[in-house]
Amino acid sequence: MEEVRLERQGEIERAREMCSGWDWKIKYDEKEQHCMEYARCIWNTLMDEALLLDDALQQDDGDRKHIMEAGVIPFHQLRCLGLDEVLMQFDLLTDHDHGKLEYIIKQIMLEEVEVTTDPATLEPEKRQLSKKDDAISFVEFMRLLYHLTLTSPSGSQIANDQESLTKLLQQIQQTAMSKRRQSNDVKKDTSILLAAKAINSGSINACKRRQKHSDQFDHYVSTFQVWEDTFVGGDDARLTKQSQRRLEILRGCFEGARNEKVVAALKIVYMDYAALRVGGDLIFRLMAKLVR
């Protein structure tokens, strides 16, 4: 997790370097953060919404995992989430500029590959992925917006005004989320939808494997709920001889099993990451010893 955090921080620093004119603090939800940190939070939302698109199910299992771990979004999926219409709404793009947009993003991606990697040591698989014009990173996304605001006739206000930039980022997020609002899934939390969709993504074998892990995880959750009904209701005399630390872990499991969002988020990583499955299985076995 620390490695991921440092990687994300590196992306933010790189974006700040390449979009130096946007060195602003943004106040949002009663807190202040750098506009690139704010933009990275919106990028997280876009990644989630992209994974919920219908065509995300058709991605190869390896590509889907690369997208999740590398923090990139296929460019055509950004368009499905309404990026083009927002850029046109803010006069950063016209009906005749779609080919130009693809050219700009390709140039930016090539520049990022040259600057951030050594072609001599880049692994063949990663070299191939880096050339795919549908694998756009957060830095490349921000560079695209920055370029458009500097070169479009109507972009100067966004380029030089913090409030205008904030409105642009918010509109990109809201438009992406509105695509889901058109369905009956709008009232469901994103993590719950992602967990349900993850089971059916990738190859047939991958789907069967995830279904198996999903069923096992559901068994754990339902078991914790049964245990909580038994012991939290006052019949926990058998637990008094146990260590306080393990009791705290057990109570934490009870708390988590009641929270749909926590359950859905943990199910996603349980299905896809073997190391976390081992940890989850171990915790369940340890807790089972406490209550049986």
Side-chain angles (χ1 to χ4, degrees), residues 17-42:
E17 175 188 352
M18 300 309 298
C19 308
S20 56
W22 288 345
D23 192 19
W24 301 322
K25 294 283 188 179
I26 289 179
K27 288 186 178 180
Y28 187 72
D29 281 349
E30 299 182 352
K31 64 180 180 180
E32 188 177 74
Q33 59 185 162
H34 193 276
C35 69
M36 289 302 163
E37 294 175 340
Y38 175 73
R40 188 60 178 77
C41 292
I42 289 179

Side-chain angles (χ1 to χ4, degrees), residues 34-94:
H34 193 276
C35 69
M36 289 302 163
E37 294 175 340
Y38 175 73
R40 188 60 178 77
C41 292
I42 289 179
W43 183 253
N44 290 340
T45 299
L46 295 179
M47 286 194 295
D48 288 345
E49 296 298 331
L51 288 171
L52 289 172
L53 291 171
D54 290 338
D55 75 331
L57 290 175
Q58 310 304 321
Q59 291 169 343
D60 177 81
D61 204 37
D63 283 352
R64 190 182 70 87
K65 195 167 185 178
H66 165 75
I67 288 170
M68 292 177 64
E69 294 179 349
V72 299
I73 302 176
F75 191 57
H76 75 276
Q77 290 186 351
L78 278 176
R79 289 185 141 170
C80 290
L81 293 174
L83 177 62
D84 287 25
E85 63 186 78
V86 175
L87 295 178
M88 293 175 63
Q89 179 182 337
F90 282 76
D91 294 325
L92 298 176
L93 187 70
T94 69

Side-chain angles (χ1 to χ4, degrees), residues 99-272:
K100 174 185 174 182
L101 186 64
E102 292 182 359
Y103 173 79
I104 293 171
I105 194 60
K106 285 181 181 179
Q107 291 300 115
I108 291 173
M109 293 180 71
L110 286 173
E111 290 173 9
E112 283 298 309
V113 169
E114 292 173 358
V115 170
T116 59
T117 60
D118 180 0
T121 59
L122 192 63
E123 298 174 18
E125 180 182 357
K126 291 185 178 180
R127 187 184 301 118
Q128 183 179 6
L129 284 169
S130 70
K131 290 182 179 179
K132 289 185 178 180
D133 63 353
D134 63 348
I136 178 172
S137 70
F138 168 68
V139 176
E140 292 157 351
F141 175 70
M142 293 309 297
R143 285 190 60 182
L144 173 64
L145 296 183
Y146 193 62
H147 175 88
L148 292 175
T149 60
L150 292 178
T151 59
S152 302
S154 303
S156 59
Q157 182 177 357
I158 299 175
N160 299 296
D161 181 65
Q162 172 183 327
E163 185 176 350
S164 297
L165 174 61
T166 304
K167 288 181 179 178
L168 171 63
L169 294 172
Q170 289 175 343
Q171 188 60 47
I172 290 173
Q173 180 185 42
Q174 291 167 7
T175 300
M177 295 178 69
S178 71
K179 303 300 180 181
R180 178 156 51 91
R181 290 195 183 100
Q182 297 170 5
S183 71
N184 293 326
D185 290 334
V186 63
K187 295 183 180 180
K188 295 183 180 179
D189 182 75
T190 304
S191 58
I192 297 173
L193 294 170
L194 286 171
K197 199 154 192 174
I199 298 173
N200 298 314
S201 63
S203 65
I204 295 176
N205 289 336
C207 291
K208 289 181 179 178
R209 185 172 63 252
R210 286 199 191 91
Q211 185 64 63
K212 174 185 175 183
H213 298 323
S214 174
D215 292 343
Q216 182 65 51
F217 188 85
D218 289 342
H219 167 68
Y220 289 164
V221 172
S222 61
T223 302
F224 278 124
Q225 291 169 343
V226 171
W227 288 345
E228 182 177 23
D229 292 340
T230 302
F231 294 101
V232 174
D235 183 21
D236 60 348
R238 285 176 291 173
L239 304 182
T240 56
K241 297 180 181 180
Q242 303 295 336
S243 71
Q244 189 62 32
R245 176 174 174 77
R246 290 197 176 186
L247 289 178
E248 289 177 358
I249 295 174
L250 180 60
R251 294 188 184 102
C253 291
F254 291 161
E255 188 74 24
R258 292 198 306 268
N259 190 314
E260 280 191 333
K261 295 180 181 179
V262 171
V263 169
L266 289 176
K267 177 185 278 193
I268 292 173
V269 295
Y270 184 86
M271 288 189 295
D272 272 352

